[in-house]
Amino acid sequence: TLFPYTTLFRSVEQPREGAHAAGHCADMLSLFRYWRSLNADRAPSTVKEFESLARKFKAIVGKAPWQLVRTDIAGFRDHLLQAGDARATVTKKLSFVNAMLQSAFDAGYLPSNVARGMKVPRPKVEPITRRGFEKPDLERIFGSRIYTDGFRPKGGGEDAFAWVPMLGHVAGGRLEELCQLRLSDVLHDSEHGWYLRIGDGVEQRVKTVSSRRLVPLHPAIVEAGFIRYVQSLRASG
């Protein structure tokens, strides 16, 4: 025969026989489930985002992971951009695809990770991504019924409706960080006064390692009664 090694070369184009039989690379949802098995400690919200992305990728691209080529990833990226997704959102979704493919590549189930290094083109003029509150905005927020009449809607977490915006304004923490605080995270010492301990304890998560930190409480929120509120909760058990 002219090409006696054809079967050898063909094996490079297809996934390992055992991997495909195990179903890790059957489709994008199978790949998601394999990634999930390796990342059991991920937050439920992150897992949900990964699964949703895997379903969307499967619906749009329609190929098994071992069939993907670089242009498939670029096509998925371009589809998201044309659908109106923000560039930061597209970058995040591509990172999810990359993570799932990388997990299979690292285990030897895929010959390569065709999503690695895929970039989202930058716009000619960077958009304004974040705006701070102006004084009229703050006056409207902190002059609302929550603060003037003691209104505490259950749908807003009752007292959380009052304290979380104040903590966010003076402490600068992420919303998730502030909402997961425990009484034991409000601390005091003679040198620094009152401060918050933001970390990852039981049922608590932080975004990065550097997110674990101690945040001093602004005197204004202490004067507003936050410490009295904390102490009343401790006294009531």
Side-chain angles (χ1 to χ4, degrees):
T1 176
L2 183 60
F3 299 109
Y5 302 109
T6 302
T7 56
L8 173 64
F9 294 142
R10 187 181 299 121
S11 67
V12 175
E13 301 171 0
Q14 297 177 353
R16 287 188 180 180
E17 186 176 342
H20 194 216
H24 294 320
C25 298
D27 58 26
M28 207 62 185
L29 280 173
S30 300
L31 197 62
F32 157 73
R33 286 189 285 269
Y34 177 66
W35 170 88
R36 179 74 180 96
S37 70
L38 300 176
N39 295 273
D41 61 339
R42 292 299 183 95
S45 58
T46 301
V47 174
K48 187 175 181 180
E49 283 187 279
F50 266 77
E51 182 176 11
S52 176
L53 190 280
R55 292 183 184 279
K56 188 168 190 174
F57 188 94
K58 180 180 178 181
I60 293 172
V61 180
K63 287 185 177 181
W66 57 271
Q67 296 174 316
L68 294 172
V69 294
R70 187 77 169 171
T71 53
D72 294 321
I73 309 301
F76 180 65
R77 175 200 64 191
D78 297 345
H79 174 87
L80 296 176
L81 289 170
Q82 292 166 12
D85 281 10
R87 293 171 189 268
T89 302
V90 176
T91 297
K92 182 179 182 180
K93 290 179 178 180
L94 289 178
S95 73
F96 290 173
V97 174
N98 174 69
M100 288 186 281
L101 291 174
Q102 188 66 35
S103 65
F105 170 68
D106 289 342
Y109 296 148
L110 290 177
S112 64
N113 176 2
V114 295
R116 182 185 293 172
M118 180 65 67
K119 303 293 185 182
V120 176
R122 290 187 176 185
K124 291 182 179 179
V125 178
E126 290 287 345
I128 297 175
T129 57
R130 181 174 297 181
R131 293 177 56 195
F133 286 111
E134 301 292 340
K135 185 177 179 181
D137 301 322
L138 296 173
E139 289 175 343
R140 186 175 181 183
I141 292 170
F142 295 112
S144 68
R145 300 174 57 196
I146 302 298
Y147 300 99
T148 60
D149 300 334
F151 178 55
R152 297 291 184 268
K154 290 185 178 180
E158 298 184 345
D159 288 326
F161 219 133
W163 292 116
V164 170
M166 293 179 70
L167 286 169
H169 181 52
V170 299
R174 297 184 179 93
L175 182 63
E176 293 81 358
E177 293 174 340
L178 300 176
C179 288
Q180 70 183 5
L181 288 171
R182 300 291 186 265
L183 292 175
S184 57
D185 295 320
V186 182
L187 303 165
H188 181 273
D189 66 42
S190 57
E191 182 179 357
H192 301 100
W194 291 100
Y195 62 94
L196 302 177
R197 177 179 57 201
I198 294 177
D200 46 351
V202 178
E203 296 183 346
Q204 293 176 308
R205 293 179 182 273
V206 290
K207 193 169 184 179
T208 63
V209 173
S210 61
S211 295
R212 301 188 189 107
R213 62 199 189 280
L214 304 178
V215 181
L217 275 177
H218 195 283
I221 200 168
V222 176
E223 293 171 8
F226 181 66
I227 299 305
R228 290 195 300 274
Y229 170 67
V230 170
Q231 291 172 338
S232 69
L233 291 179
R234 287 173 175 164
S236 65

